[in-house]
Each structure stands twice: as C-alpha cells, then as structure tokens.
Amino acid sequence: MICKACPVCLLIVIYISSIVESDYVEVVRPRGVSLTRKVFYDPLKDFTCLDGSRTISFQFVNDDYCDCFDGSDEPGTSACPDGQYHCTNAGFRPLNIPSSRVNDGVCDCCDGSDEWKNQSLCPNTCKELWRIEKEEREKQTAEESQGYTIRQELAETGRAKKAEREAALKDYEEKLGLLKETEEKLKSHKDEIEAKETEAKDAARKLMEEELAQKTAEENHQRGEQAFAEMDTDKDGSLVIDEILQHKELDPNLEDGSFTEEEAKAILQNDAVDLSVFMESVWPSINGSFETTLSPPIEEQEQPSETSADVKESFFYDDATRELIEEAEEARKRYQANQDSKKNIEREIESLQKGLDMDFGPDEAFQALQFKCFDFETLEYRYKLCPYDKTSQTPNKGGSETNLGRWGSWSGPENFRYSKMKYENGLGCWNGPARSTEVRIRCGLEHKILSVDEPSRCAYVFEFATPCACTQPEPAGDSFPRDEL
Ligand code: MAN
C-alpha cells in the first residue's frame, strides 16, 4: 500500500535495506536508465521522449531503433547518436557515458554493463576499484593526519618563537625608552660643557695669538737692531749709503747687476740714518731681503715638531682649559656610546617587528619555513625557494643566479589564503615583465619542492609540499558508494 502510494518510498526502502545488509540491491529498470530517470520509464505506460517531442509505445524503448531526437528512447543501445547510457556500477561510482559506446567492445563501466552483448568481455571490477580507491584514500588520510601532527608541533614552536619575539621587543622598547631619556641628559651636559670648552679654547687661542704677535714684533725689532749693528761697519751709530752698498742682496734691481748709490739712497731715504729712523722707516722695507748671519731665536728652535693644529694649540692651553677639553671629550664619548646603543637597539626592534609582522598562518606553523631554503633540480636549472625571502634559478652549466621574485604575500583565494605564495619583482625578463613566482602549497610530510614549471615566459610555478599545510582529516567514512536515489 505504502509503496503504491509512493514509488519513491519504495526506492528508499530498497536503498535503506541495501545499506543495512551492506550489499547493493539493484533496482529493476530499463537498461541504461539512472534511478533519477526511472520514473519516466514506466513499462505500463507509453513512453514520452524526455524532450517531450514524441510519445511511443513502451515496447519501442531499447529496441535498437532511435525514435526520439534526444535519444532518450534508447538509453541501453547505441542506436541514437546523442543518447546517454547510465552504468549503475554497483559498489563503485555510477557513470553516464554516451550511448554510442554501448557494445563497442571497450569496457567503459566497471560493472561491464555497457558491453551487455558480450558479457564475458568486461568482468565486474567495481568492488576492486572501490577497494583500491579506499586504500588510497586511507593512505592519504593517514598521511594528512601524520602531517597535521607535525604541523601542530611546528605551530607550537612558531607560537613560542612569536612569544619570544614579543617579549624581546618589549624588553628592547623599554631599553630604548631609557636610552632616550639618558640621551637627553647626556646631550644637554655635552652641549653645556662644549660651550664652555669652545669659550675657553677661543680665549686661549686669542691669548696665544696676541702673545705670538707680540713675540714676532719683538723678534723683528731685535733682528732690526742687529741688522743695523751689522751694517754699521764703522760703528758710528749712523748708517750711510756706502754701508748699504755692501749688502748686494738689498739691490732692488738685482737683474741689472749694479747696485747704485741712488738705489741705496732710495732705501735709506736720506744720506744717513740713525737707529731710531732706521727702525721706523728703513728696516720694514728691507726686512724681507736682508741676509743676516745671525742664528734664529732660541724659542723658535724649541717649538714642538708636530704640526697638528690641536697639538700646537694644546701646547698653549692652560691647565683649566685642558681639563675642560678632557671633560668635553668624555661627555662626547658618553653621548656617542649612548647613540650607538640606541642605534643597535633600534635595529633589533626593526628586525623583531619585521618578524612579528610576517604572516605565518593562523597557528604560526609557517614560521618553520623562515630562514630556510629548498632546492629543486631540472635538466637545465637548479631552482631555489627561500620562503618569506625569494625564489631563484641557477643554470646547471654555470652562470649567475637569476632572481625569480622577492617575497610578496600569501595569495590563495579567500578561505584558502595559505595555499599560494606570491614572489614578485624578480629580474626583468628580456622584452617582458619582471620575473615572478607562484608557489602552490600542499600538505606533505616534509618541506619539499615537488615541481617547477614556467607556464608562461618568466612566470614560474613551484609546487611545494609541507606539513604546515596539512589539516585535520575528516573522519574516514568507509560507506560503500551508492547509486543516487
Ligand atoms: C632565462 C631563464 C628562462 C627564461 C628566459 C627568458 O633563460 O630565466 O627561464 O624563460 O631567460 O628570456
């Protein structure tokens, strides 16, 4: 009763009973018809082509003559060019094939039903296929599960590393804060002491210059007096033209070879001069050319031989100035040391921050790939993947490494973001774009490049296996595949 009122229920009952018995029960229907279409093939009624174009007596279904344009009257023969044959493939996956393949001598269905005219041709391999597929699936699930365990360990390490980086960053930031505070203090102390140092040095330099000028003037005067005494050969306290003429080096016109009385008189600006007139108006004009036999002043001989301005200066600095210079030097050193430490810490912070900004996946597992490189050899090149850094290519026959892209970002589709990596802006391709690489990530028990390809010029695709990409496998269902209801 129930079944008469509801033919689909009958199918369900049969189907469920088949599950319970763990064996497949084939539902009777015309050859080549799927369960979903069975309803259209009622042997007690005329058959209407599925495209609605014709209605024919049911006896013409599968009579090896094509009546319908859509081939629906011949699902189990090859009579119609566009027909569809449905293999039940009990125990495996049902399959639709073009009905032209029915009885063509080739086994298309694992249940062998497409070659029904010669039943010995195609033995039923569905259960075997299912067994193989199940084994393969189980193997994959086991691998996925093992990979997932590794991933969890890597994730733990990744999280620990992140925590370590965060703690170090906090520590460095505190240190930087302190160094900045000290920097201010050291700088104001340095500025203050440097101002005093400059003032003291300027004063000392000025004093030194004044003393030097006075000393030079005194020496000049002394030399003048000595020159007068040397030239005043008759020692009468007066220089005359004859005495000047003895000093040929004073000839204003050395080239003509004669030192005339007029020239000597022009030097004296008179016939005779005493010491005071000589010092006032003669000595300044002959000072440069007069050749003395006198030795240089003792002080000059005692000058230090170093020429460095600082050494010369410090030679003249008084103790108080020298103390100030030392103090300023010490302040500069301490300030510089603080600056150096600050720079080092800023560098550390920058590198830690960079590490923390990296996207190592939702559980930090991909951190395991940072600072590692993986190789893959083809006949022509050795390829390299350094995750989070770059990809490259080196010719086997020798030659330099070509950059195939620098780390860009994760680039998988939404929800599968971590399935692809993008490396961009590699070496420019001759007359083309900059080289780039897409790294396709999949689950594997070890980190390994599986293949490298260059599907379009200078655009590379690496396939990379890693446990970091393994997910928890779905519990393996070992239910038998069923035909559709
Ligand atoms: C090199 C390699 C190749 C690339 C060509 C493009 O030979 O980088 O992968 O296709 O350059 O000129």
Side-chain angles (χ1 to χ4, degrees), residues 255-330:
E255 290 85 39
D256 66 5
S258 68
F259 190 15
T260 62
E261 278 187 19
E262 285 73 31
E263 284 169 333
K265 191 173 177 179
I267 289 170
L268 283 182
Q269 298 161 39
N270 219 322
D271 289 332
V273 293
D274 63 9
L275 178 62
S276 87
V277 176
F278 173 81
M279 289 307 294
E280 178 92 2
S281 49
V282 180
W283 177 238
S285 63
I286 64 166
N287 184 3
S289 37
F290 175 73
E291 282 171 11
T292 181
T293 54
L294 303 174
S295 51
I298 289 161
E299 291 86 346
E300 263 177 37
Q301 290 170 8
E302 281 175 355
Q303 284 283 337
S305 59
E306 290 96 330
T307 50
S308 134
D310 273 351
V311 174
K312 255 190 183 168
E313 277 178 11
S314 66
F315 186 75
F316 295 104
Y317 289 142
D318 57 77
D319 287 351
T321 308
R322 249 184 269 172
E323 235 169 72
L324 266 176
I325 292 172
E326 269 167 34
E327 219 179 306
E329 199 52 50
E330 183 59 28

Coordinates of all heavy atoms in Angstrom, one line a residue, residues 255-330:
E255 N 118.6 92.1 -11.3 CA 118.9 91.6 -12.6 C 119.9 92.5 -13.4 O 120.7 91.9 -14.1 CB 117.6 91.6 -13.5 CG 116.6 90.6 -13.1 CD 115.7 91.1 -12.0 OE1 115.3 92.3 -12.0 OE2 115.4 90.3 -11.0
D256 N 119.9 93.8 -13.1 CA 120.9 94.6 -13.9 C 122.3 94.5 -13.4 O 123.2 95.1 -14.0 CB 120.4 96.1 -14.0 CG 120.4 96.8 -12.6 OD1 120.9 96.1 -11.6 OD2 119.9 97.9 -12.5
G257 N 122.5 93.8 -12.3 CA 123.9 93.5 -11.8 C 124.6 94.7 -11.2 O 125.7 94.6 -10.7
S258 N 124.0 95.9 -11.1 CA 124.7 97.0 -10.4 C 123.8 97.6 -9.3 O 122.6 97.8 -9.5 CB 125.1 98.1 -11.4 OG 123.9 98.7 -11.9
F259 N 124.4 97.8 -8.1 CA 123.7 98.4 -7.0 C 124.2 99.8 -6.9 O 125.3 100.1 -6.5 CB 124.0 97.6 -5.8 CG 123.2 97.9 -4.6 CD1 122.0 98.7 -4.6 CD2 123.5 97.4 -3.3 CE1 121.2 99.0 -3.5 CE2 122.8 97.7 -2.2 CZ 121.6 98.5 -2.3
T260 N 123.3 100.8 -7.4 CA 123.8 102.2 -7.5 C 123.6 102.9 -6.2 O 122.8 102.5 -5.3 CB 123.1 102.9 -8.6 OG1 121.7 102.9 -8.3 CG2 123.3 102.2 -9.9
E261 N 124.3 104.1 -6.1 CA 124.2 105.0 -4.9 C 122.8 105.5 -4.8 O 122.2 105.6 -3.7 CB 125.2 106.1 -5.1 CG 126.5 105.8 -4.6 CD 127.5 106.9 -4.5 OE1 127.0 108.1 -4.5 OE2 128.7 106.7 -4.6
E262 N 122.2 105.8 -6.0 CA 120.8 106.3 -6.0 C 119.8 105.2 -5.3 O 119.0 105.6 -4.5 CB 120.3 106.6 -7.4 CG 120.8 107.9 -8.0 CD 122.3 107.7 -8.4 OE1 122.7 106.6 -8.8 OE2 123.0 108.7 -8.3
E263 N 120.1 104.0 -5.7 CA 119.2 102.9 -5.2 C 119.4 102.8 -3.7 O 118.5 102.6 -3.0 CB 119.6 101.6 -5.9 CG 119.0 101.5 -7.3 CD 119.6 100.3 -8.1 OE1 120.7 99.8 -7.9 OE2 118.8 99.9 -9.1
A264 N 120.7 102.9 -3.3 CA 121.0 102.8 -1.8 C 120.4 104.0 -1.1 O 119.8 103.8 0.0 CB 122.5 102.7 -1.6
K265 N 120.4 105.1 -1.7 CA 119.9 106.3 -1.1 C 118.4 106.2 -1.0 O 117.7 106.6 0.0 CB 120.3 107.6 -1.9 CG 120.0 108.9 -1.2 CD 120.5 110.1 -1.9 CE 120.1 111.3 -1.1 NZ 120.6 112.5 -1.8
A266 N 117.8 105.6 -2.0 CA 116.3 105.5 -2.0 C 115.9 104.5 -0.9 O 114.9 104.7 -0.3 CB 115.9 104.9 -3.4
I267 N 116.8 103.6 -0.6 CA 116.5 102.7 0.6 C 116.5 103.4 1.9 O 115.6 103.4 2.7 CB 117.4 101.5 0.6 CG1 117.2 100.5 -0.6 CG2 117.3 100.7 1.9 CD1 118.2 99.4 -0.8
L268 N 117.6 104.2 2.0 CA 117.8 105.0 3.3 C 116.8 106.2 3.4 O 116.5 106.7 4.5 CB 119.2 105.5 3.4 CG 120.3 104.5 3.8 CD1 121.7 105.2 3.9 CD2 120.0 103.8 5.2
Q269 N 116.3 106.6 2.2 CA 115.5 107.8 2.1 C 116.3 109.1 2.6 O 115.6 110.0 3.1 CB 114.2 107.7 2.8 CG 113.3 106.5 2.2 CD 112.2 106.1 3.2 OE1 111.7 106.9 3.9 NE2 112.1 104.8 3.3
N270 N 117.6 108.9 2.7 CA 118.4 110.0 3.2 C 119.9 109.7 3.0 O 120.2 108.6 2.5 CB 118.2 110.1 4.7 CG 118.2 111.5 5.3 OD1 118.9 112.3 4.8 ND2 117.3 111.8 6.2
D271 N 120.8 110.6 3.3 CA 122.2 110.2 3.2 C 122.7 109.4 4.3 O 123.6 108.5 4.1 CB 123.1 111.5 3.1 CG 122.9 112.3 1.8 OD1 122.5 111.5 0.8 OD2 123.0 113.5 1.8
A272 N 122.1 109.6 5.5 CA 122.5 108.8 6.6 C 121.3 108.7 7.6 O 120.5 109.6 7.6 CB 123.7 109.4 7.4
V273 N 121.2 107.5 8.3 CA 120.1 107.4 9.3 C 120.6 106.8 10.6 O 121.5 106.0 10.6 CB 118.9 106.5 8.8 CG1 118.2 107.1 7.6 CG2 119.4 105.1 8.4
D274 N 120.0 107.3 11.7 CA 120.4 106.7 13.0 C 119.5 105.5 13.3 O 118.6 105.2 12.5 CB 120.4 107.7 14.1 CG 119.0 108.3 14.4 OD1 118.0 107.7 13.7 OD2 118.8 109.2 15.2
L275 N 119.7 104.9 14.4 CA 119.0 103.6 14.7 C 117.5 103.8 14.7 O 116.7 103.0 14.1 CB 119.5 103.0 16.0 CG 118.8 101.8 16.5 CD1 119.0 100.6 15.5 CD2 119.3 101.3 17.9
S276 N 117.1 104.9 15.4 CA 115.6 105.1 15.5 C 114.9 105.3 14.2 O 113.9 104.8 13.9 CB 115.3 106.2 16.5 OG 115.2 107.4 16.0
V277 N 115.6 106.1 13.3 CA 115.0 106.4 11.9 C 115.0 105.1 11.1 O 114.1 104.7 10.4 CB 115.7 107.5 11.2 CG1 115.2 107.7 9.8 CG2 115.6 108.8 11.9
F278 N 116.2 104.3 11.3 CA 116.3 103.1 10.6 C 115.1 102.1 10.9 O 114.5 101.5 10.1 CB 117.6 102.4 10.9 CG 117.8 101.0 10.4 CD1 118.2 100.8 9.1 CD2 117.6 99.9 11.2 CE1 118.3 99.5 8.6 CE2 117.7 98.6 10.7 CZ 118.1 98.4 9.4
M279 N 114.9 102.0 12.3 CA 113.8 101.1 12.7 C 112.5 101.5 12.2 O 111.6 100.7 11.9 CB 113.8 101.0 14.2 CG 115.0 100.3 14.8 SD 115.3 98.6 14.1 CE 113.9 97.8 14.7
E280 N 112.3 102.8 12.2 CA 111.0 103.4 11.8 C 110.7 103.2 10.3 O 109.7 102.7 9.9 CB 111.0 104.9 12.2 CG 109.7 105.6 11.9 CD 108.7 105.6 13.0 OE1 109.1 105.0 14.1 OE2 107.7 106.1 12.9
S281 N 111.7 103.6 9.5 CA 111.3 103.7 8.1 C 112.2 102.9 7.1 O 111.8 102.8 5.9 CB 111.3 105.2 7.6 OG 112.5 105.8 8.0
V282 N 113.3 102.3 7.5 CA 114.2 101.6 6.6 C 114.0 100.1 6.8 O 113.7 99.3 5.9 CB 115.7 102.0 6.7 CG1 116.5 101.1 5.8 CG2 115.9 103.4 6.5
W283 N 114.1 99.7 8.1 CA 114.0 98.2 8.4 C 112.7 97.5 7.8 O 112.8 96.5 7.2 CB 114.2 98.0 9.9 CG 114.1 96.5 10.3 CD1 113.2 96.0 11.2 CD2 114.8 95.4 9.8 NE1 113.4 94.7 11.3 CE2 114.4 94.3 10.5 CE3 115.9 95.3 8.9 CZ2 114.9 93.0 10.3 CZ3 116.4 94.0 8.7 CH2 115.9 92.9 9.4
P284 N 111.5 98.2 7.9 CA 110.4 97.5 7.4 C 110.5 97.1 5.9 O 110.0 96.1 5.5 CB 109.2 98.5 7.7 CG 109.7 99.3 8.8 CD 111.2 99.4 8.6
S285 N 111.2 98.0 5.2 CA 111.3 97.8 3.7 C 112.4 96.8 3.3 O 112.3 96.1 2.3 CB 111.4 99.1 2.9 OG 112.7 99.7 3.3
I286 N 113.4 96.6 4.2 CA 114.5 95.7 3.8 C 114.4 94.4 4.6 O 115.2 93.4 4.3 CB 115.9 96.3 3.9 CG1 116.1 96.6 5.4 CG2 116.0 97.5 3.0 CD1 117.6 97.0 5.6
N287 N 113.5 94.3 5.5 CA 113.4 93.2 6.4 C 113.4 91.8 5.7 O 114.1 90.9 6.0 CB 112.1 93.3 7.2 CG 112.0 92.2 8.3 OD1 112.8 91.4 8.4 ND2 110.9 92.2 9.0
G288 N 112.6 91.8 4.5 CA 112.5 90.6 3.8 C 113.7 90.2 3.0 O 114.0 89.0 2.9
S289 N 114.5 91.1 2.5 CA 115.6 90.8 1.7 C 117.0 90.8 2.4 O 118.0 90.1 1.9 CB 115.7 91.7 0.4 OG 115.3 93.0 0.8
F290 N 117.0 91.4 3.5 CA 118.3 91.5 4.3 C 118.8 90.1 4.7 O 118.0 89.3 5.3 CB 118.1 92.4 5.5 CG 119.4 92.4 6.4 CD1 120.5 93.1 6.0 CD2 119.4 91.7 7.6 CE1 121.6 93.1 6.8 CE2 120.5 91.7 8.4 CZ 121.7 92.4 8.0
E291 N 120.0 89.7 4.4 CA 120.5 88.4 4.7 C 121.4 88.6 6.0 O 122.5 89.2 5.9 CB 121.3 87.8 3.6 CG 120.4 87.2 2.5 CD 121.1 86.8 1.3 OE1 122.3 86.8 1.3 OE2 120.4 86.5 0.3
T292 N 120.9 88.0 7.0 CA 121.6 88.1 8.3 C 122.5 86.9 8.5 O 122.2 85.8 8.0 CB 120.6 88.3 9.5 OG1 121.4 88.4 10.6 CG2 119.7 87.1 9.6
T293 N 123.5 87.1 9.2 CA 124.4 86.0 9.6 C 124.0 85.5 11.0 O 124.5 84.6 11.5 CB 125.8 86.4 9.6 OG1 125.9 87.6 10.5 CG2 126.4 86.7 8.3
L294 N 122.9 86.2 11.6 CA 122.5 85.8 12.9 C 121.8 84.5 12.9 O 121.1 84.1 12.0 CB 121.5 86.9 13.5 CG 122.0 88.3 13.5 CD1 120.9 89.2 14.0 CD2 123.2 88.4 14.5
S295 N 121.9 83.7 14.0 CA 121.2 82.4 14.2 C 119.7 82.7 14.6 O 119.5 83.8 15.2 CB 121.9 81.5 15.1 OG 122.1 82.2 16.3
P296 N 118.8 81.8 14.3 CA 117.4 82.0 14.7 C 117.2 82.1 16.2 O 118.0 81.5 16.9 CB 116.6 80.9 14.1 CG 117.6 79.8 13.9 CD 118.9 80.5 13.7
P297 N 116.2 82.8 16.7 CA 116.0 82.9 18.2 C 115.8 81.5 18.8 O 115.2 80.6 18.2 CB 114.7 83.7 18.3 CG 114.1 83.9 17.0 CD 115.1 83.4 16.0
I298 N 116.3 81.4 20.1 CA 116.2 80.1 20.8 C 114.8 79.6 20.9 O 114.6 78.4 20.7 CB 116.9 80.3 22.2 CG1 118.4 80.5 22.0 CG2 116.6 79.1 23.1 CD1 119.0 81.1 23.2
E299 N 113.8 80.4 21.2 CA 112.4 79.9 21.3 C 111.9 79.2 20.1 O 111.2 78.2 20.2 CB 111.4 81.1 21.6 CG 111.6 81.8 22.9 CD 112.7 82.9 22.9 OE1 113.5 82.9 21.9 OE2 112.8 83.7 23.8
E300 N 112.3 79.7 18.9 CA 111.9 79.0 17.7 C 112.4 77.6 17.6 O 111.7 76.7 17.1 CB 112.3 79.8 16.4 CG 111.2 80.7 15.9 CD 111.7 81.6 14.8 OE1 112.5 81.0 13.9 OE2 111.3 82.7 14.7
Q301 N 113.7 77.4 18.0 CA 114.3 76.1 17.9 C 113.6 75.1 18.9 O 113.5 73.9 18.6 CB 115.7 76.2 18.4 CG 116.6 76.9 17.3 CD 118.0 77.2 17.9 OE1 118.3 76.7 19.0 NE2 118.7 77.9 17.2
E302 N 113.0 75.7 19.9 CA 112.3 74.8 20.9 C 110.9 74.4 20.5 O 110.3 73.7 21.2 CB 112.4 75.5 22.3 CG 113.7 75.4 22.9 CD 113.8 76.1 24.2 OE1 112.8 76.8 24.6 OE2 114.8 76.1 24.9
Q303 N 110.3 75.0 19.4 CA 109.0 74.7 19.1 C 108.8 73.2 18.8 O 109.6 72.5 18.3 CB 108.6 75.4 17.7 CG 108.3 76.9 17.9 CD 107.0 77.2 18.4 OE1 106.1 76.4 18.3 NE2 106.8 78.4 19.0
P304 N 107.6 72.6 19.3 CA 107.4 71.2 19.0 C 107.3 70.9 17.5 O 106.9 71.8 16.8 CB 106.1 70.9 19.7 CG 105.4 72.2 19.8 CD 106.5 73.3 19.9
S305 N 107.8 69.7 17.1 CA 107.9 69.5 15.7 C 106.5 69.1 15.1 O 106.3 69.3 13.9 CB 108.8 68.3 15.4 OG 108.4 67.2 16.1
E306 N 105.5 68.6 16.0 CA 104.2 68.3 15.4 C 103.5 69.5 14.8 O 103.7 70.6 15.3 CB 103.3 67.8 16.6 CG 103.7 66.4 17.1 CD 104.5 66.6 18.3 OE1 105.2 67.6 18.5 OE2 104.4 65.7 19.2
T307 N 102.8 69.2 13.7 CA 102.2 70.4 13.0 C 100.7 70.4 13.3 O 100.0 71.4 12.9 CB 102.5 70.3 11.5 OG1 102.1 69.0 11.1 CG2 103.9 70.6 11.2
S308 N 100.2 69.3 13.9 CA 98.7 69.3 14.0 C 98.3 70.5 14.8 O 98.9 70.9 15.8 CB 98.3 68.0 14.8 OG 97.4 68.3 15.8
A309 N 97.2 71.1 14.4 CA 96.7 72.3 15.0 C 96.4 72.1 16.5 O 96.7 72.9 17.3 CB 95.4 72.8 14.3
D310 N 95.8 70.9 16.7 CA 95.4 70.6 18.1 C 96.6 70.5 19.0 O 96.6 71.0 20.1 CB 94.6 69.3 18.1 CG 93.2 69.5 17.9 OD1 92.8 70.7 17.8 OD2 92.4 68.5 17.7
V311 N 97.6 69.8 18.5 CA 98.8 69.7 19.3 C 99.4 71.0 19.6 O 99.8 71.4 20.7 CB 99.8 68.7 18.6 CG1 101.1 68.7 19.4 CG2 99.2 67.3 18.5
K312 N 99.5 71.8 18.5 CA 100.1 73.2 18.6 C 99.3 74.0 19.7 O 99.8 74.7 20.5 CB 100.0 73.9 17.3 CG 101.4 74.0 16.6 CD 101.3 74.9 15.4 CE 102.6 74.9 14.8 NZ 102.5 75.5 13.4
E313 N 97.9 73.8 19.5 CA 97.0 74.6 20.4 C 97.2 74.1 21.8 O 97.4 74.9 22.7 CB 95.6 74.4 20.0 CG 95.2 75.4 18.9 CD 93.8 75.2 18.4 OE1 93.0 74.5 19.0 OE2 93.5 75.8 17.3
S314 N 97.1 72.7 22.0 CA 97.1 72.2 23.3 C 98.4 72.6 24.0 O 98.5 72.7 25.2 CB 96.9 70.7 23.4 OG 98.0 70.1 22.7
F315 N 99.4 72.8 23.2 CA 100.7 73.2 23.7 C 100.6 74.5 24.5 O 101.3 74.7 25.5 CB 101.7 73.3 22.6 CG 103.1 73.6 23.0 CD1 103.9 72.6 23.5 CD2 103.7 74.9 22.9 CE1 105.2 72.8 23.9 CE2 105.0 75.1 23.3 CZ 105.7 74.1 23.8
F316 N 99.6 75.3 24.0 CA 99.5 76.6 24.6 C 98.3 76.7 25.6 O 98.2 77.7 26.3 CB 99.2 77.7 23.6 CG 100.4 77.8 22.7 CD1 100.5 77.3 21.4 CD2 101.6 78.5 23.1 CE1 101.6 77.5 20.6 CE2 102.7 78.7 22.3 CZ 102.7 78.2 21.1
Y317 N 97.5 75.6 25.7 CA 96.3 75.6 26.6 C 96.8 75.6 28.0 O 97.7 74.8 28.4 CB 95.4 74.5 26.3 CG 94.6 74.6 25.0 CD1 94.3 73.5 24.2 CD2 94.2 75.9 24.6 CE1 93.6 73.7 23.0 CE2 93.5 76.1 23.4 CZ 93.2 75.0 22.6 OH 92.6 75.1 21.4
D318 N 96.1 76.4 28.8 CA 96.4 76.3 30.3 C 95.7 75.1 30.9 O 94.9 74.5 30.2 CB 96.0 77.6 31.0 CG 94.5 77.8 30.7 OD1 93.7 77.2 31.4 OD2 94.2 78.6 29.8
D319 N 96.0 74.8 32.1 CA 95.5 73.6 32.7 C 94.0 73.5 32.8 O 93.4 72.5 32.5 CB 96.1 73.4 34.2 CG 97.6 73.0 34.1 OD1 98.0 72.7 32.9 OD2 98.2 73.0 35.1
A320 N 93.4 74.7 33.1 CA 91.9 74.7 33.3 C 91.3 74.4 31.9 O 90.3 73.6 31.9 CB 91.5 76.1 33.7
T321 N 91.8 75.0 30.8 CA 91.2 74.7 29.5 C 91.4 73.2 29.2 O 90.5 72.6 28.7 CB 91.9 75.6 28.4 OG1 91.9 76.9 28.9 CG2 91.2 75.5 27.1
R322 N 92.6 72.7 29.5 CA 92.9 71.3 29.1 C 91.9 70.4 29.9 O 91.4 69.4 29.4 CB 94.3 71.0 29.4 CG 95.1 70.7 28.1 CD 96.4 70.3 28.4 NE 97.3 71.4 28.4 CZ 98.6 71.4 28.8 NH1 99.1 70.3 29.2 NH2 99.3 72.5 28.7
E323 N 91.6 70.8 31.1 CA 90.7 70.0 31.9 C 89.3 70.0 31.3 O 88.6 69.0 31.2 CB 90.6 70.6 33.3 CG 90.9 69.6 34.4 CD 91.1 70.2 35.8 OE1 90.1 70.7 36.3 OE2 92.2 70.3 36.2
L324 N 88.9 71.2 30.8 CA 87.6 71.4 30.2 C 87.5 70.5 28.9 O 86.5 69.9 28.6 CB 87.4 72.9 29.8 CG 86.6 73.7 30.8 CD1 86.6 75.1 30.4 CD2 85.2 73.2 31.0
I325 N 88.6 70.5 28.1 CA 88.6 69.8 26.9 C 88.5 68.3 27.2 O 87.7 67.6 26.6 CB 90.0 70.0 26.1 CG1 90.0 71.4 25.6 CG2 90.1 69.0 25.0 CD1 91.3 71.8 25.0
E326 N 89.1 67.8 28.2 CA 89.0 66.4 28.6 C 87.6 66.1 29.0 O 87.1 65.1 28.7 CB 90.0 66.1 29.8 CG 91.4 65.6 29.3 CD 92.4 65.6 30.4 OE1 92.0 65.3 31.5 OE2 93.6 65.9 30.1
E327 N 87.0 67.0 29.8 CA 85.7 66.8 30.3 C 84.7 66.7 29.1 O 83.8 65.9 29.1 CB 85.3 68.0 31.2 CG 84.5 67.5 32.4 CD 84.2 68.7 33.3 OE1 85.1 69.4 33.7 OE2 83.0 69.0 33.5
A328 N 84.9 67.7 28.2 CA 84.0 67.7 27.0 C 84.2 66.4 26.1 O 83.2 65.9 25.6 CB 84.3 68.9 26.1
E329 N 85.5 66.0 26.1 CA 85.8 64.8 25.3 C 85.0 63.6 25.9 O 84.4 62.8 25.2 CB 87.3 64.6 25.3 CG 87.8 63.6 24.2 CD 87.3 64.0 22.8 OE1 87.5 65.2 22.4 OE2 86.8 63.1 22.1
E330 N 85.1 63.5 27.2 CA 84.4 62.5 28.0 C 82.9 62.5 27.7 O 82.2 61.5 27.5 CB 84.7 62.6 29.5 CG 84.2 61.5 30.4 CD 84.7 60.1 30.0 OE1 85.8 60.0 29.4 OE2 83.9 59.2 30.3

